[in-house]
Amino acid sequence: MAMHTRRRVEMDTELQNANAYPVPSGITMEYGTAGFRAPACNLPHVMYRMGLLAVMRARYTREVIGVMVTASHNPEEDNGVKLMEGMGEMLPVSWERHATSFASAHLGELRTQLSALLRDCPGTESSSPAQKYHVLIGEDTRASSKMLAQAVSHGVTDLGGTFKNFGLVTTPQLHYLVASHNSEGLIGEPSLDGYYHKLSEAYKALMAQSKPQPGNEGSYPLTMDGANGVGAPKMAELLSYMKHSLSVKIINNGESGKLNHECGADYVKIGQRAPKGLQMREGRIYCSLDGDADRLLYYFVDKSDTFHLVDGDKISTLMAIFIQHLLKEAQLPFQVSVVQTAYANGSSTHYFEETLLLQVYCLPTGVKYLHAKAKECDIGVYFEANGHGTAVGDALSDLLAVQMMLSLLDLSLPQLYALYTDLPSRQLKVKVMDRQRITTTDAERRVTHPDGLQAAIEERVHRHLQARAFVRPSGTEDMVRVYAEAETQESADCLAHEVALLVHRLAGGVGEEPRAPS
Ligand code: 16G
Ligand code: MG
């Protein structure tokens, strides 16, 4: 009874800021693989509600929870939010539905849902008055992020929680801060200084083991494209801790260009080209981050100025080789497995299975799926082809890891690239009325709805050599994504276009039919 009374009091007297965050009419959103993403103007009410949910989650887990305000590689005008768990993992799938229903709940419904959550989730109801629930907030460089982070903080304080807003941080830095807060220093000091210190000291210690050879990776100067996002200033901060052990030239550092516009990891991967304005030279190596620094891709040009991409598949190849090498040296019997998505290039899967003799798993897109599978393995290496790897995809630590592994294996980036030849591929997007009408199975490799689409895709695939194609609704954009690979670029382009046309015709395409890739 006492408990009941307290709950009522909490629900009735608080939420004093709720009226400032009404739900706009006609807007519903789903908490997807990357949390919520939408045009920033549609998000204040979602942010406020995620502040509330973060406190509820903190009550439930008894841990500090993170809320990151970012829309990663989306355009500057968008924004988004995702919650981070105690050890820096993603919000569990079982709570995603609470996030979805909170996001569009009007005040009355919100009170009901908060009460229901208190009732239904063991742990949330018991709260000693002295117990404070703490939320860490981070923001990317978008103009809207400050205001949206403030909306999160209003949600937190309305439920009696406390917060610390770290301001500008990369998404993985917030993961680190959350995990280090909850581990009471075991992971590292819970501050950005602690993060930089940990990374730079580990890098220096590992690099001290490498014996620089003439012509090895140490002599390839590195240029980093910061996507005009938060990764650029944060890399500059990290470099100040590295002293002379690493030198990186940073471009697209946000001083003049627009976030993710004609630069960044997504632009480079999708277009298989350098960021606009970058004059690449043979003998240098280049890498791109995305807008919140949780993706990393490398690239270079050869003598004939041909562009070559070292994507997430190739980075996981490097990691798998490096770990195999360490296991062999230490004579440890662990099995290394590789976890990929359907976007992994067919040649990479073949190389892992046939040359490195590793077990390969294919999972649906989204780090949470890959991470869960990797945890089941003795040693699980995972990267999405788009450059998103490891538990939080920290592009800064992945960059240090790549530099270190190349150096210790005495391998150059062109040598890594040459280990296997990617099949040419093409990605396209199609706008449809309702992308959720497309459903898939078999780790997104086959369509189950609408009827007839899968058979039609297969019929087109059979017209090409070494071909494969699949479609899936994007979790971050209102689009259906099409992927095709085949023996030649021409063939991959043609197949992708044919499949895009099928989606447009059979799945309720909007506007003009998709054009062939130019
Ligand atoms: C998010 C996911 C990333 C995935 C991408 C797919 C996390 C932390 N991030 O960025 O893993 O590759 O979405 O986007 O899970 P899409 O659904 O629009 O293709
Ligand atoms: Mg990102």
Side-chain angles (χ1 to χ4, degrees), residues 37 70-74 82 171-172 290-295 388 393:
R37 291 222 186 140
T70 181
S72 182
H73 56 279
N74 285 39
K82 66 179 170 194
T171 298
D290 70 338
D292 64 338
D294 63 3
R295 292 189 190 186
H388 201 137

Side-chain angles (χ1 to χ4, degrees), residues 32-34 37 72-74 82 90 171 175 290 294-295 341 343 365-370 384 386 388 391-392 427 444 472-477 479 481:
T33 38
R37 291 222 186 140
S72 182
H73 56 279
N74 285 39
K82 66 179 170 194
M90 309 289 165
T171 298
H175 282 283
D290 70 338
D294 63 3
R295 292 189 190 186
T341 71
Y343 288 106
T365 304
V367 166
K368 63 186 174 207
Y369 301 113
L370 282 78
E384 292 184 299
N386 60 24
H388 201 137
V392 296
Q427 293 193 42
E444 305 180 320
R472 53 174 281 277
S474 160
T476 61
E477 273 186 279
M479 291 285 175
R481 298 205 191 283

